[in-house]
Every structure is written in C-alpha cells, then in structure tokens.
Amino acid sequence: QQAASIHSPLLPSIEIWLGTNMDRLTMNGNMFPEAVGGEGDDMTQQIALIWQQIRAPLIAPLLNLAVTICLLMSVMLFIERVYMAIVIVLLKVFGKKPEKKYRWEPMKDDLEIGNTVYPMVLVQIPMYNEREVYQLSIGAACGLSWPSDRIIVQVLDDSTDPTIKDLVEMECQKWSHKGINIKYEIRDNRNGYKAGALKEGMKHSYVRECDYVVIFDADFQPETDFLWRAVPFLMHNPDVALVQARWKFVNADECLMTRMQEMSLDYHFSVEQEVGSATHAFFGFNGTAGIWRIKALNEAGGWKDRTTVEDMDLAVRASLRGWKFVFIGNLGVKNELPSTFKAYRYQQHRWSCGPANLFRKMVKEIIMNRHVSAWKKFHVIYGFFFVRKIVAHIVTFVFYCVVIPATVLVPEVQLPKWGAVYIPTTITLLNAVSTPRSIHLLVFWILFENVMSLHRTKATFIGLLEAGRVNEWVVTEKLGDALKTKSVKQMKKSRSRIGERLHVLELLT
C-alpha cells in the first residue's frame, strides 16, 4: 500500500506480476517454503526463490535499459576520444606550432621610448595558509625576467593563521627591499574564496596601469623566461585573450597515486587542451599558469564566484564574446600534485562538481549567444561540457563499476563484446599513450580511475542538482619543500591512523 502511493510507471507491471505469481510465492499459506535445514539454510532458500521469481520479469528489463543507456554514452565518449586522437595525429604531422599559427616576435628594446615598449604586467598569487610553499611561489614570481618598472607582483593572502600571515608579509617585505615592486594584499573575509580574492585584487588603483595579468597558484614556480615566451602572443594578436602554459609535476614520482594523476593530467594537457586550442581557439582555463588580457577579462564580466570553477566560468564567458585562447604545450610551469588521497579526493570533487554546476547555469546563455558560430556552441555544449565533464564520469562508474558486474548475475541480459571490451580498451589506450613512461602501470590506473569515478559521479550529480556540497571549497594541501626534508618515517607516521588509511567505500568499488 505504501508502494502504491509512489507514482512510478513500473508499479502497474509489478502489481500484475505479483497478482499472477502470488500462488507460486505462497506455499501452504506461507510466503516462503519450509526448509529442511537450519535457519540459515531457510533464509538462503527464501532469498534464492525471490531472486529467481523477480530476475527475468523485473530485474532483466531494468538492466537491459541501463545497458542500452550506458552503451550510448560509451559510444559518445568513444567518438570524442577518437576524434581528438585524429586531430592530435594531424597536428603532429601537418600542424603548425602556436608560434607559427599566430603572429609571434621576440620582444626588442626601443632606444627612443625605453621600457614603455614593454606592456605592464600584473602577477597575482592567491594564497591561503600556504606555510610550506609561500616562499617558493613568491620567489619564483619575483624572479621572472622582465623590466622591473613594468611588472607588479601582487600577493593575495587570505590566510586565517596569524603566524602564516606574518611569514608571508615578511617574505614580501624581503623582496621589496631587493627592489621588486611587490604588493601584499589582505581582506577581512574569504567571500568567494579564490575568485573573490582575485576580483578584490583587480580593484586596486595600480592595476589600472596594467595590460595583462598572470595568475600562479601558491605551489607554481614559473621559469624566468615565462613572460618573454607568453606575452608576445598577446601583444601581436589583439584577438587573443588567454595564453595557457602546461603544468610540470615536481612530485610525480613520489608515490603510485601521483603517477596515476600524472597519466590523467598529461592526457588533459597534451590532447584536450591542444585540440581545443588548435580547432576552436577555446579550452578551459586551468586557473593558474596562464596570462590574461585584462581588457578581455573585464569585457567578459570579471571573476565570478557562482561556482567552484571560477577559471572555467571566465573562459567560457570570454569565449562567448569572441576572444581566442592559445595553449603553449612546450611552456611548462612546475607545480605539485596532491600527495594524499584525502587532498586528491577534495580536489576532484571541486573539479567535477564545478563544471556540472556551471553547465547547468550557462547552457541557456550559450545557446542564446550571438557572438559565436553554431559549430562552436555545439563544441562547448556537447564536447566540452556534456561528454567530457558529465558523460565521462557517469559512464565510468555506472557502466564499468555497476552495470557490467550486475550482468554477471542476470544471464538474461546480453552485453555486446564491442561495448564491454573494445570501446573501453580503445579509450584506455588512447589515454595511456600520453604518458609512455607509465604504460606498465595501466592496470593500476584503470583501477584507480574506477575508484575515483565514484566520487566524480557523485560530485557531478551534486553540481547538476545544486545539492548540499555544490559550493564546497577545500584548499588542496601542499607540501612543498617538506617533500624533500621529511623522512619517509615521518611521512608514514603522519598518516598512521587506520581510519585515514582504510577506505572501505573505495575498496568495495
């Protein structure tokens, strides 16, 4: 009776089936037959009988529907992956490097006008309690080669620990005494988190003098020639809004988990970003190691904190205004991968929930936009958002971790070999070739990605439905020089709690 109050299209068929089979379920007036054995045997026989009765008429049709939907999503993902693989091969064989595709000339001195030939550059470093890495990032930013009167380093410190705030301020003062134009900026709240800090930083009067803004997260360490290689793209191409560099991982060899992360991120940069830059002049800004034209940033509406992916939000809005993006694959910036599973899980929640939530908020705006072509709209909505940010997570978990194992228990459901073997194998190999040195770890990567798909799928639905943790922001823990100075014994001691090291849900997945 309680079930009848639930409006579901399955209920009529369930009621009909129960009516026609009730005599088989009830024997001698009892719901289940008497067992000869003990209580345990009795319960086992009861469960087996119920399963036999409902498997073919109820479970099999539902599972067949799930298989069909998952196969459709698998094909969508497969086509997207093969398309990008073909584009990458063509780029390697026939494509031009960004320096050839766009106008690029090295910066030259002008004796008549002096340093004013160089654009004014603002370097922003957002921070939050970064005890282990603040010196590395500030030092790297202050070490950038550029005329000293044409660069401003802005440290945006949202730290809540007074000791760390003092340390960061002292570090800024040290570089200021060395002649670096560095500004230490704080605010009395953390509204908007990183987006709020960047937005607040752009309000200062000295920013009006700047042409471009570079953003480096607290663990990023650019090479000294970063600006010399990136700025010319913006100077000589007035329709370019963003130049994005690739990430280089300083701790990729720390443990097996960081090797798995390297495999996934290498594919993102060497394939997804390269293809987006070459075909549509659009890709998602990675939030760091990139340089923006301030005019484009302001024209797009500036930083917004409506989601946890403020970088992607800005990139989509700027692209819809007709601005172009350039990805430089051979310009790397050193940074650190999360070295604990807890930190990585929080990061992946933000990276999966945010895009799904942004898709919900912007899909109508993208469709109604009149500044870009229908083909680019299709690419942004279908390829960039729907397939890569939603379908990829859902199909990995639902199909490979739930539906395929379930078909083993229901022989009435037939799973085609092409969907269960050929498609996932092809997708996996296409991903793995981006990191040849880790090809022997492919099995571990598959298991690791299946486990993470649980958290990514959950986060994706939270973003789509705008559920409780949709705006959760946990800053990724960074270790910096502690990776070099802490002994293995100390690192293990800090993670010795059983509760922190045993992940039951992930083991079940």
Side-chain angles (χ1 to χ4, degrees):
Q1 291 174 351
Q2 291 176 349
S5 66
I6 303 173
H7 300 287
S8 171
L10 292 174
L11 284 179
S13 60
I14 293 175
E15 292 173 355
I16 294 172
W17 180 85
L18 287 174
T20 57
N21 292 275
M22 187 58 69
D23 57 331
R24 297 171 63 188
L25 287 173
T26 56
M27 299 183 180
N28 298 325
N30 297 320
M31 181 61 71
F32 303 106
E34 295 293 328
V36 178
E39 185 177 343
D41 293 337
D42 185 31
M43 180 63 69
T44 302
Q45 290 183 13
Q46 292 172 9
I47 294 173
L49 177 61
I50 294 174
W51 174 251
Q52 290 294 331
Q53 294 296 323
I54 68 174
R55 189 182 70 197
L58 292 180
I59 303 300
L62 291 174
L63 196 54
N64 270 318
L65 177 62
V67 167
T68 302
I69 294 173
C70 287
L71 287 175
L72 177 62
M73 291 193 292
S74 294
V75 170
M76 294 167 64
L77 185 60
F78 173 77
I79 293 173
E80 178 73 7
R81 290 288 195 266
V82 171
Y83 157 74
M84 289 193 291
I86 293 172
V87 172
I88 283 295
V89 171
L90 293 176
L91 286 175
K92 297 295 184 184
V93 178
F94 304 107
K96 297 179 180 179
K97 292 183 179 180
E99 292 84 356
K100 300 293 184 181
K101 181 178 180 180
Y102 294 89
R103 187 183 172 194
W104 189 94
E105 296 176 6
M107 304 291 297
K108 297 179 180 179
D109 293 330
D110 192 313
L111 297 178
E112 294 183 2
I113 61 176
N115 284 345
T116 55
V117 70
Y118 297 96
M120 196 74 176
V121 177
L122 173 70
V123 181
Q124 288 186 314
I125 311 174
M127 291 191 171
Y128 176 72
N129 294 337
E130 308 287 2
R131 179 188 293 271
E132 304 290 352
V133 296
Y134 74 93
Q135 289 179 309
L136 294 175
S137 57
I138 294 176
C142 292
L144 287 169
S145 176
W146 200 250
S148 59
D149 60 335
R150 307 300 293 171
I151 186 172
I152 302 173
V153 177
Q154 185 187 64
V155 178
L156 305 169
D157 190 11
D158 272 0
S159 299
T160 53
D161 187 324
T163 303
I164 298 178
K165 292 184 75 169
D166 291 341
L167 291 171
V168 175
E169 185 174 12
M170 289 172 59
E171 185 70 13
C172 293
Q173 291 173 353
K174 183 186 79 174
W175 284 101
S176 179
H177 293 152
K178 294 181 179 181
I180 301 298
N181 188 1
I182 185 169
K183 309 289 185 181
Y184 176 72
E185 306 290 356
I186 60 173
R187 52 185 184 144
D188 56 6
N189 60 71
R190 288 194 68 216
N191 295 341
Y193 303 109
K194 180 181 175 181
L198 294 171
K199 184 177 182 179
E200 196 68 26
M202 297 297 293
K203 294 180 180 179
H204 295 281
S205 58
Y206 55 83
V207 176
R208 297 171 192 163
E209 308 170 12
C210 300
D211 302 292
Y212 312 128
V213 55
V214 192
I215 299 153
F216 294 116
D217 280 353
D219 59 317
F220 277 70
Q221 306 163 53
E223 300 294 337
T224 56
D225 65 345
F226 178 89
L227 295 177
W228 296 109
R229 297 180 62 184
V231 167
F233 284 103
L234 296 169
M235 281 197 65
H236 302 303
N237 302 276
D239 56 346
V240 171
L242 166 68
V243 177
Q244 173 72 60
R246 181 171 178 157
W247 297 1
K248 290 168 57 178
F249 311 111
V250 297
N251 64 330
D253 293 323
E254 181 188 350
C255 62
L256 188 60
M257 189 185 74
T258 53
R259 290 288 291 272
M260 303 298 101
Q261 294 176 60
E262 181 192 35
M263 292 178 70
S264 298
L265 287 170
D266 275 353
Y267 178 82
H268 167 69
F269 284 106
S270 62
V271 178
E272 292 179 343
Q273 299 295 70
E274 286 277 9
V275 170
S277 178
T279 57
H280 301 279
F282 166 77
F283 48 82
F285 173 43
N286 293 117
T288 178
I291 176 169
W292 277 91
R293 187 185 301 274
I294 292 181
K295 177 185 175 182
L297 191 152
N298 292 331
E299 189 179 292
W303 296 104
K304 293 186 178 182
D305 58 4
R306 57 182 175 175
T307 69
T308 57
V309 283
E310 73 294 324
D311 43 13
M312 186 182 295
D313 190 345
L314 175 60
V316 174
R317 285 184 281 114
S319 179
L320 293 179
R321 301 288 297 184
W323 290 98
K324 295 182 179 179
F325 304 162
V326 178
F327 175 73
I328 313 177
N330 58 4
L331 177 59
V333 179
K334 293 186 291 186
N335 72 296
E336 181 183 321
L337 292 165
S339 53
T340 65
F341 182 70
K342 181 180 179 181
Y344 183 62
R345 192 174 59 196
Y346 278 125
Q347 182 198 69
Q348 291 302 298
H349 173 86
R350 190 171 76 246
W351 287 5
S352 302
C353 178
N357 190 231
L358 182 63
F359 176 69
R360 172 191 170 119
K361 293 178 184 296
M362 290 201 69
V363 62
K364 184 177 179 181
E365 180 182 343
I366 296 170
I367 294 172
M368 301 301 292
N369 183 272
R370 297 183 179 181
H371 296 283
V372 296
S373 65
W375 173 241
K376 189 166 186 177
K377 291 181 189 179
F378 175 78
H379 167 70
V380 175
I381 293 175
Y382 175 79
F384 180 76
F385 272 118
F386 187 63
V387 176
R388 298 186 206 169
K389 311 300 182 185
I390 297 175
V391 167
H393 301 324
I394 294 175
V395 74
T396 303
F397 174 67
V398 176
F399 192 35
Y400 303 136
C401 301
V402 178
V403 172
I404 291 181
T407 58
V408 177
L409 303 175
V410 185
E412 292 85 356
V413 176
Q414 298 298 318
L415 190 62
K417 186 181 293 185
W418 59 265
V421 179
Y422 299 148
I423 283 182
T425 300
T426 303
I427 292 174
T428 301
L429 292 176
L430 289 176
N431 192 104
V433 294
S434 300
T435 315
R437 79 186 192 99
S438 298
I439 197 75
H440 61 290
L441 301 175
L442 194 57
V443 173
F444 296 102
W445 180 81
I446 294 171
L447 295 173
F448 183 69
E449 285 296 296
N450 282 350
V451 166
M452 292 310 303
S453 70
L454 166 68
H455 300 288
R456 291 173 183 147
T457 301
K458 179 182 176 182
T460 298
F461 280 113
I462 288 174
L464 289 173
L465 303 176
E466 290 201 327
R469 295 175 59 199
V470 66
N471 290 317
E472 180 184 69
W473 183 287
V474 178
V475 176
T476 306
E477 178 189 13
K478 307 170 189 75
L479 298 178
D481 284 339
L483 290 170
K484 303 174 185 177
T485 57
K486 286 186 178 180
S487 66
V488 175
K489 185 176 181 180
Q490 285 176 307
M491 297 291 284
K492 288 184 176 181
K493 185 178 179 181
S494 64
R495 306 174 191 174
S496 59
R497 292 183 187 176
I498 295 297
E500 292 181 2
R501 300 182 66 185
L502 183 63
H503 303 281
V504 178
L505 191 60
E506 287 78 4
L507 286 170
L508 291 175
T509 303

